[in-house]
């Protein structure tokens, strides 16, 4: 299976979080119209089953953004990576004479750098360079997928990256970071 889409979006008076100084000199974060903008790109999703029980998935997105009018004309939109890539490798196999199957999965994603606000008093604190993460899962399920028990690990390389930044310089810059390497157990049951 292969799906692809080309898209082109135009916005009038798009809204953005901006930091402005109040009459007292205290910075305020406000939601304001910031001009007109355009984004266009290409998205591809693919799934392939080369062998029984093996599934490969890949998705990619190439994105270009541009603010076409207003005080930020010529800049790109915030929180919009130019490239993202994701992949999943999943394998299932029966467990001998038992009515069970073993499920193995490795997945990951990568993205190019992003900035979190249109204006940054301290740009280095509001930019995340490109990064990638890797996850894995092993589980046992009933043949009909009525129940599954899995052990999983997320962000296995313990990559640290910014999720968002709230810049209220010079008073405060709040950075929100991702969840670190995490392990867990999942039990799922499908009601019939």
């Amino acid at each position: 299976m292969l799906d692809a889409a080309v898209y082109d979006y135009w916005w009038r008076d798009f809204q953005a979080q901006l930091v402005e100084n109040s009459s007292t000199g205290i910075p305020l974060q406000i939601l304001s119209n910031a001009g007109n903008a355009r984004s266009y790109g290409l998205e591809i999703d693919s799934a392939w089953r080369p062998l029984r029980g093996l599934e490969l998935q890949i998705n990619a997105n190439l994105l270009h953004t541009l603010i076409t009018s207003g005080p930020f004309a010529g800049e790109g939109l915030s929180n919009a990576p130019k490239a993202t890539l994701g992949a999943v490798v999943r394998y299932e196999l029966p467990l001998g004479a038992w009515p069970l199957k073993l499920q193995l999965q490795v997945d990951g994603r990568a993205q190019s750098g992003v900035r979190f606000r249109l204006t940054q008093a301290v740009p280095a604190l509001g930019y995340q360079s490109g990064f990638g993460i890797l996850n894995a899962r092993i589980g046992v399920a009933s043949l009909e997928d009525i129940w599954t028990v899995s052990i999983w690990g997320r962000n296995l390389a313990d990559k640290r990256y910014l999720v968002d930044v709230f810049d209220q310089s010079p008073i405060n810059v709040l950075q929100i970071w991702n969840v670190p390497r995490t392990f867990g157990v999942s039990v799922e049951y499908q009601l019939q």
Side-chain angles (χ1 to χ4, degrees), residues 3 5 11 25 43 47 66 69 72 83 97 112 115 120 139 165 170 183:
D3 291 322
W11 289 280
E43 186 173 298
L66 180 66
S69 68
F72 307 103
S112 60
R115 61 191 178 125
Q120 290 292 331
V165 172
F183 297 97

Side-chain angles (χ1 to χ4, degrees), residues 92-114:
E92 291 185 350
L93 66 149
L95 284 176
W98 295 317
L100 303 173
K101 59 184 172 181
L102 179 66
Q103 298 177 326
L104 306 168
Q105 179 174 310
V106 176
D107 63 89
R109 69 179 178 87
Q111 73 171 50
S112 60
V114 295

Side-chain angles (χ1 to χ4, degrees), residues 62-76:
L62 299 175
L63 172 67
H64 180 76
T65 66
L66 180 66
I67 299 172
T68 58
S69 68
F72 307 103
E75 293 186 28

Side-chain angles (χ1 to χ4, degrees), residues 10-161:
W10 293 80
W11 289 280
R12 285 184 166 265
D13 295 324
F14 78 95
Q15 295 185 327
Q17 293 283 344
L18 305 175
V19 177
E20 293 185 0
N21 286 327
S22 66
S23 58
T24 62
I26 297 173
L28 299 174
Q29 190 168 28
I30 62 169
L31 181 64
S32 176
N33 290 342
N36 297 334
R38 177 184 184 200
S39 72
Y40 58 90
L42 170 67
E43 186 173 298
I44 297 173
D45 290 306
S46 178
W48 184 41
R49 293 188 175 157
L51 304 170
R52 183 176 179 192
L54 178 63
E55 182 175 357
L56 308 173
Q57 299 174 18
I58 191 163
N59 59 67
N61 188 35
L62 299 175
L63 172 67
H64 180 76
T65 66
L66 180 66
I67 299 172
T68 58
S69 68
F72 307 103
E75 293 186 28
L77 293 171
S78 59
N79 215 1
K82 292 183 178 182
T84 57
L85 177 66
V88 177
V89 177
R90 182 177 173 91
Y91 187 59
E92 291 185 350
L93 66 149
L95 284 176
W98 295 317
L100 303 173
K101 59 184 172 181
L102 179 66
Q103 298 177 326
L104 306 168
Q105 179 174 310
V106 176
D107 63 89
R109 69 179 178 87
Q111 73 171 50
S112 60
V114 295
R115 61 191 178 125
F116 295 101
R117 297 290 175 262
L118 293 177
T119 58
Q120 290 292 331
V122 187
L125 297 177
Y127 178 79
Q128 172 60 56
S129 60
F131 65 91
I133 63 168
L134 181 66
N135 309 308
R137 171 182 297 265
I138 183 169
V140 176
S142 65
L143 291 176
E144 304 81 22
D145 289 320
I146 294 174
W147 61 265
T148 306
V149 178
S150 302
I151 299 171
W152 49 262
R154 296 184 185 134
N155 191 12
L156 293 176
D158 203 21
K159 174 65 180 169
R160 289 195 51 160
Y161 58 92

